[in-house]
Amino acid sequence: MAGEDFGELLDAMADPLVACDGEERIVYLNFAAERLLGWKLEELAGQPFARLVPQRLHSFDGQSFLCYLLGRRRALSGRPVRVFLLRQDGPELEVEVTVGTTGAGSRERIAVVLRRSPEFPDYTDEPLERQSSAVRTRAAHPGSAGERAYQLVFENAPLGLFHFDITPTLLACNDCFVRIMGSSKRMLIGLNLLTLQDEAITACVRDALAGRHAYYEGDYHAVTSGKVTPVRAHFAPCVSADGEVQGGLGIVEDVTEQRSAEAERSRLLREAQEAIRVRDDFLTIASHELKTPLTPLSLRLASLERRLERREPVDPALLRHARQHLVRLAALINDLLDASRIEAGRLALHFEPTRLDGIVERALTGMDAERGQHRIDYSHPEEPVCIRGDPYRLDQVIANLLENALKYSPADSTVSVTLDVSGDFALLAVADEGIGIPRDQQEQLFERYFRARNVSVTSYGGLGLGLYISRDIVERHGGRIWVESEVGRGATFYVALPLLSAANPTPLEPRPSTGSSQQVH
Ligand code: ADP
């Protein structure tokens, strides 16, 4: 057949075809190829075929793109390979390629047939990744219904799937894999998996090529986008009917959600364990605290009983001590009840116009039995300090601050109580010369059951509820409670409450710290 006739025949072909000589220089481009690739024969004649190939696909295993495809003809047994080629105007185009050769020496010709589906829409400038997956599925695999079904499964699987050959070059992947990897399909196809920086992944690829299954779990760092995705992957060898490993496939799962669910579960578990620990600690302390007054109370009642039986005179001090222990017991139980009421939002307050100076004085008088060798200094303004509040609950707050000041300071030291007026607020300060509070724990002092480490390791009793209850009461009065303290140098607790005269009190700024630390609540 004459060369001209032959050219006409090729031009009449529906499938695009590019013919090259033995040195991979383009000698012919039929009409269909011109139309598909946007090049004219005159522009490409004599050019290397590599002009049509994106840079990253230029070399496979040290061979040119065409050499590589020719070398794999037997393994592919006529099946096309999906690749990207460059159009004349720049964008890449995904096509199926089959190659064949004729002649030898200077007459050698390489025929590259670019196969398109009859359903494939005419060339569009849209990059392939932006076309619908349905179009890509149909376009890329026009074969039998079985193949199409296979392709649909491959494309729509909710797991990332990819396939690589023996070199190992990534030949195909689905959209889910593209999403997980965070790189475009164009970047992924043609990628040599041994060039990946993650050695654990390359080891899995090698295992698959050696005929073994391999598993990977870790954070995949996308080289191109820098995206980090926690993944789990299974690598499996692809083995031909005669038992030869021809490549491998990978199934990749994005485990981001599982990871965060696991992290959330661990957090909840830690919190639950911490809550159990706090509860257990609290039960130990509470049992101890509740039992402490019972022993002396029981002893005193027994002694009282004996005296009465023997008709001996009863010492009033004995009765007073017994009563003190009962009062202590009642106070502990009341604290427990108040704390649960606060948690349930049911601690009732009864507000009325009242004199804070009067409440402080009553609280100080109530401390007479407990003050022991402590000195208590009290200073207050001449005028009455009137507020709107619940006298019973405010007495509870002040009594708690005084009890703590006495409890956490040495017997012969001084506790200073100062009542003052500052702007729209009445300001009460209770200062002691005691053990103080570690700075890093001051923030937690007003939390339920919290006890600073310098008291829990010593023999100071307590449930860690007084300040928690006090904060609730003070805040519900529109006031604030805070502390300034240094370990070993005492503590000063402040309570600021709005004066009765202040209809809308300007919020009180915390007092500037004077060298020692300060916590506001
Ligand atoms: P409790 O005294 O029964 O433990 P509180 O709620 O009254 O409970 O106090 C909580 C914690 O605050 C105490 O355990 C203690 O660590 C610390 N604290 C309170 N007042 C003082 C104080 N004046 N000096 C030192 N530490 C104090």
Side-chain angles (χ1 to χ4, degrees):
M1 196 185 286
E4 220 169 86
D5 289 347
F6 193 68
E8 277 173 18
L9 199 64
L10 290 181
D11 284 342
M13 270 176 65
D15 280 336
L17 175 137
V18 181
C20 301
D21 63 15
E23 278 161 15
E24 301 185 9
R25 277 193 301 267
I26 296 171
V27 294
Y28 198 74
L29 208 64
N30 70 358
F31 279 159
E34 283 188 339
R35 209 159 66 85
L36 178 70
L37 299 171
W39 293 95
K40 290 274 165 235
L41 171 60
E42 308 82 76
E43 293 168 314
L44 283 184
Q47 299 276 340
F49 184 82
R51 270 300 287 277
L52 296 175
V53 180
Q55 180 69 36
R56 66 178 185 286
L57 303 178
H58 275 191
S59 166
F60 280 86
D61 232 12
Q63 307 173 68
S64 74
F65 176 74
L66 282 184
C67 271
Y68 170 77
L69 289 184
L70 286 170
R72 297 214 3 102
R73 260 180 312 166
R74 237 196 63 186
L76 292 167
S77 54
R79 276 178 287 130
V81 172
R82 276 209 286 177
V83 294
F84 288 94
L85 292 185
L86 289 173
R87 261 183 65 89
Q88 192 269 349
D89 47 359
E92 292 185 11
L93 188 67
E94 192 179 20
V95 288
E96 291 187 329
V97 169
T98 39
V99 290
T101 51
T102 59
S106 64
R107 295 186 60 78
E108 184 185 354
R109 293 289 177 267
I110 305 171
V112 185
V113 178
L114 313 174
R115 196 161 321 144
R116 297 184 305 162
S117 157
E119 297 161 89
F120 192 79
D122 267 353
Y123 170 73
T124 153
D125 274 328
E126 280 259 324
L128 205 79
E129 282 75 6
R130 288 217 293 273
Q131 296 172 27
S132 82
S133 65
V135 168
R136 259 177 291 154
T137 306
R138 281 187 278 115
H141 274 258
S144 67
E147 276 176 3
R148 275 189 223 153
Y150 164 80
Q151 188 64 21
L152 273 174
V153 172
F154 183 78
E155 284 297 346
N156 296 295
L159 292 168
L161 302 176
F162 64 97
H163 169 225
F164 51 93
D165 64 10
I166 199 86
T167 57
T169 299
L170 198 141
L171 298 179
C173 61
N174 66 0
D175 286 350
C176 183
F177 181 73
V178 169
R179 270 197 306 279
I180 295 174
M181 294 297 106
S183 301
S184 70
K185 203 174 224 179
R186 272 190 311 188
M187 302 305 293
L188 292 167
I189 290 186
L191 182 78
N192 187 308
L193 295 178
L194 294 183
T195 61
L196 292 176
Q197 276 156 14
D198 191 325
E199 280 180 18
I201 295 182
T202 51
C204 288
V205 173
R206 284 199 185 90
D207 276 351
L209 293 180
R212 293 187 294 270
H213 286 249
Y215 301 89
Y216 170 86
E217 178 152 6
D219 290 330
Y220 176 77
H221 294 251
V223 187
T224 44
S225 63
K227 186 181 167 208
V228 179
T229 315
V231 294
R232 197 174 289 146
H234 180 171
F235 291 76
C238 285
V239 186
S240 68
D242 52 9
E244 191 190 339
V245 176
Q246 296 197 317
L249 63 88
I251 303 171
V252 187
E253 190 183 0
D254 180 344
V255 292
T256 309
E257 280 181 17
Q258 288 170 33
R259 280 261 190 102
S260 41
E262 270 164 30
E264 180 62 7
R265 269 201 301 279
S266 320
R267 190 184 63 78
L268 290 174
L269 183 68
R270 271 198 310 279
E271 279 181 14
Q273 283 169 338
E274 176 61 13
I276 291 170
R277 193 192 59 74
V278 169
R279 189 204 59 189
D280 289 349
D281 286 358
F282 172 74
L283 284 178
T284 313
I285 295 169
S287 326
H288 175 77
E289 286 296 304
L290 290 170
K291 240 185 99 208
T292 307
L294 278 183
T295 316
L297 178 63
S298 156
L299 285 175
R300 289 201 161 85
L301 286 177
S303 144
L304 202 60
E305 195 181 6
R306 269 197 312 278
R307 279 170 186 267
L308 286 173
E309 276 168 5
R310 289 188 214 133
R311 299 183 186 283
E312 286 173 7
V314 172
D315 180 2
L318 202 66
L319 273 176
R320 201 170 44 248
H321 285 141
R323 206 173 141 269
Q324 273 169 9
H325 291 300
L326 263 183
V327 168
R328 172 78 193 134
L329 209 53
L332 287 170
I333 292 167
N334 278 338
D335 275 0
L336 285 169
L337 286 174
D338 284 347
S340 347
R341 286 188 190 115
I342 289 172
E343 282 299 296
R346 282 191 290 108
L347 185 79
L349 296 187
H350 304 285
F351 291 95
E352 60 187 61
T354 184
R355 281 183 60 173
L356 187 59
D357 49 330
I359 301 174
V360 176
E361 270 151 39
R362 276 198 300 282
L364 284 168
T365 315
M367 271 315 115
D368 278 347
E370 290 169 48
R371 80 168 63 183
Q373 291 166 292
H374 277 96
R375 288 175 300 280
I376 299 188
D377 287 349
Y378 175 46
S379 76
H380 56 91
E382 303 252 301
E383 315 76 50
V385 180
C386 296
I387 59 159
R388 189 177 150 70
D390 181 329
Y392 170 74
R393 292 297 178 183
L394 289 176
D395 177 83
Q396 188 179 347
V397 171
I398 298 161
N400 178 244
L401 295 183
L402 290 171
E403 272 169 25
N404 281 350
L406 296 173
K407 182 161 75 174
Y408 298 119
S409 64
D412 56 352
S413 63
T414 302
V415 171
S416 310
V417 181
T418 315
L419 180 61
D420 219 338
V421 167
S422 168
D424 290 335
F425 286 82
L427 189 62
L428 177 75
V430 179
D432 63 58
E433 301 166 344
I435 60 172
I437 300 147
R439 195 187 181 93
D440 62 314
Q441 296 204 300
Q442 292 177 10
E443 216 173 301
Q444 293 147 277
L445 274 199
F446 300 86
E447 285 171 17
R448 195 159 60 134
Y449 309 141
F450 187 81
R451 310 202 71 222
R453 63 176 161 273
N454 59 337
V455 307
S456 44
V457 293
T458 56
S459 55
Y460 298 101
L463 292 178
L465 287 175
L467 290 179
Y468 168 71
I469 297 168
S470 300
R471 180 182 63 174
D472 186 77
I473 295 172
V474 170
E475 288 183 349
R476 287 178 58 198
H477 277 77
R480 280 186 186 168
I481 181 166
W482 72 94
V483 66
E484 289 177 7
S485 177
E486 246 182 89
V487 170
R489 304 190 64 177
T492 304
F493 280 85
Y494 294 93
V495 173
L497 293 165
L499 290 171
L500 186 63
S501 55
N504 295 306
T506 7
L508 188 88
E509 288 304 316
R511 283 152 65 108
S513 177
T514 49
S516 55
S517 55
Q518 161 185 313
Q519 295 299 324
V520 181
H521 287 270

